[in-house]
Amino acid sequence: MTTTAVVRQELAVAAFKKVYDIGAIEAALGELGDNANDALRATYEKMLRIGGLRFCVKPNRMPAFDQIGEELPNFLEPLEDVRRQVALCSETDDRLELTPMLLLGEPGIGKTHFAKHLARLLGTTSHYVAMSSLTAGWILSGASSQWKNAKPGKVFEALVNGSYANPVIVIDEIDKASGDTNYDPLGALYALLEHETASSFTDEFAEVPIDAASVVWIATANDARSIPEPILNRMNVYEIPAPDIEGARRIAQTIYTEIRDSHAWGARFPEWLGEDPLDKLAAMKPREMRRATLHAFGNARLAGRDAVIAEDVEIDRLAKRRPIGF
């Protein structure tokens, strides 16, 4: 049996980076009139209170890339590029710089799962934006404070309200972005994916520049044809294949271990999944594996067992209900 251990968050070294200038915030606050947006005033006051320094982290040693490759065997190409960048800066004070990446592949093969693993690898946080449900560009870049119920965008929130200057931001299903004649959901990315322009990115709500140059961008898509060429040119594009049967077995074991280790009830189950349930899970996509594995744990307990067997693994119920053609 192939041994697999769940990837833990790496110990990271942290330097501080200034993501916004306090003087600029004080000036902006001082220029607000009596009729200014109360939420904008509260935003400036919070920014002054918490200060503009954020952690900018990177692994303090070469992470176990081979182990991660075992657990995510179909992501070896982007992992190798990350390995190169970590190798360049791991023994210096240089900050980790990763070119934005686009992961292309069929639904459910683990693209978002990879992004979360990468955030743990780097010792930072991850933020998720589902482009398929967005209709306006202001979700990323904020809406003008003159609009009712306006608020900052996701990038501003991640940097100002978070603790890190280099969070991982996942733009999921970037090829599904839709908009109207007034707003381009991808418009903000033209600036955010370029290092120079990202270093002085202005959220439309806050109207003060923030430094988003250290953000780690991961976009996912099923098809690149609907993505504008200028966006593609700003990213490293990776074609992610479906895992082979042995790779699928390793992924299934990893998911089993993650679920087992994240719940108190998991201690009653063995560390390794049996061959028969492993084979059954390996026939599924990683997204389906997770649901099926969680249900299998429950089925085992309902049957009074402390081990999952093949009969506990059900075919994904959502997949069975999905109409043909969707």
Side-chain angles (χ1 to χ4, degrees):
M1 177 181 293
T2 301
T3 59
T4 303
V6 176
V7 176
R8 304 297 184 187
Q9 181 157 332
E10 289 289 328
L11 292 175
V13 292
F16 282 106
K17 180 179 180 180
K18 184 170 68 174
V19 297
Y20 58 83
D21 181 67
I22 291 295
I25 308 304
E26 290 175 336
L29 180 60
E31 293 173 1
L32 289 182
D34 294 337
N35 297 324
N37 185 305
D38 289 338
L40 179 59
R41 188 184 303 276
T43 296
Y44 288 156
E45 291 172 347
K46 179 179 180 180
M47 294 174 76
L48 290 176
R49 185 171 65 253
I50 63 179
L53 295 179
R54 299 292 181 272
F55 292 116
C56 195
V57 298
K58 64 181 180 182
N60 69 348
R61 60 179 181 268
M62 239 359 226
F65 280 100
D66 291 340
Q67 175 191 329
I68 301 168
E70 283 285 316
E71 298 176 7
L72 299 170
N74 47 336
F75 289 86
L76 294 180
E77 186 180 3
L79 277 172
E80 191 61 26
D81 279 351
V82 175
R83 185 204 295 258
R84 293 188 185 98
Q85 294 305 312
V86 172
L88 285 173
C89 69
S90 61
E91 297 179 355
T92 70
D93 293 331
D94 293 340
R95 293 190 175 99
L96 177 66
E97 295 183 7
L98 292 179
T99 302
M101 60 183 74
L102 172 62
L103 309 177
L104 287 176
E106 62 184 65
I109 62 172
K111 299 186 294 292
T112 304
H113 187 63
F114 166 79
K116 293 178 180 178
H117 266 65
L118 182 60
R120 290 201 294 268
L121 174 80
L122 301 179
T124 186
T125 54
S126 62
H127 303 263
Y128 179 84
V129 183
M131 293 303 288
S132 61
S133 63
L134 304 185
T135 58
W138 55 262
I139 298 296
L140 286 174
S141 60
S144 171
S145 61
Q146 297 180 19
W147 290 86
K148 184 179 180 181
N149 298 324
K151 60 181 181 180
K154 295 285 188 179
V155 178
F156 182 94
E157 290 181 350
L159 293 173
V160 174
N161 297 327
S163 300
Y164 297 92
N166 60 338
V168 172
I169 298 184
V170 181
I171 308 297
D172 195 39
E173 295 188 312
I174 191 173
D175 53 329
K176 304 295 194 303
S178 60
D180 55 32
T181 57
N182 297 317
Y183 296 100
D184 177 6
L186 303 181
L189 291 178
Y190 291 96
L192 288 166
L193 298 181
E194 290 279 12
H195 189 274
E196 291 185 3
T197 50
S199 63
S200 57
F201 176 74
T202 299
D203 183 273
E204 292 186 28
F205 176 83
E207 298 182 333
V208 289
I210 58 174
D211 188 345
S214 295
V215 170
V216 177
W217 292 97
I218 301 179
T220 74
N222 304 142
D223 190 334
R225 288 175 293 181
S226 62
I227 303 173
E229 191 65 29
I231 297 292
L232 292 175
N233 288 341
R234 288 165 164 79
M235 313 181 87
N236 286 339
V237 180
Y238 304 95
E239 294 273 358
I240 306 300
D244 60 20
I245 186 62
E246 184 55 36
R249 285 169 57 88
R250 293 200 297 268
I251 292 172
Q253 176 62 52
T254 297
I255 290 172
Y256 171 87
T257 303
E258 287 180 346
I259 295 175
R260 174 185 178 272
D261 291 353
S262 62
H263 297 86
W265 49 255
R268 68 169 68 237
F269 288 88
E271 182 178 356
W272 299 103
L273 191 56
E275 294 293 322
D276 291 340
L278 198 61
D279 286 339
K280 198 167 181 181
L281 284 167
M284 303 176 184
K285 294 178 180 179
R287 181 182 297 164
E288 297 165 355
M289 286 181 192
R290 185 167 296 277
R291 286 192 292 260
T293 301
L294 187 57
H295 292 155
F297 276 117
N299 288 337
R301 287 305 304 144
L302 286 175
R305 283 182 276 98
D306 292 337
V308 171
I309 63 175
E311 287 74 12
D312 297 325
V313 180
E314 302 173 359
I315 297 175
D316 186 68
R317 290 176 288 181
L318 290 178
K320 287 193 296 182
R321 290 203 304 266
R322 190 175 297 122
I324 294 174
F326 287 82

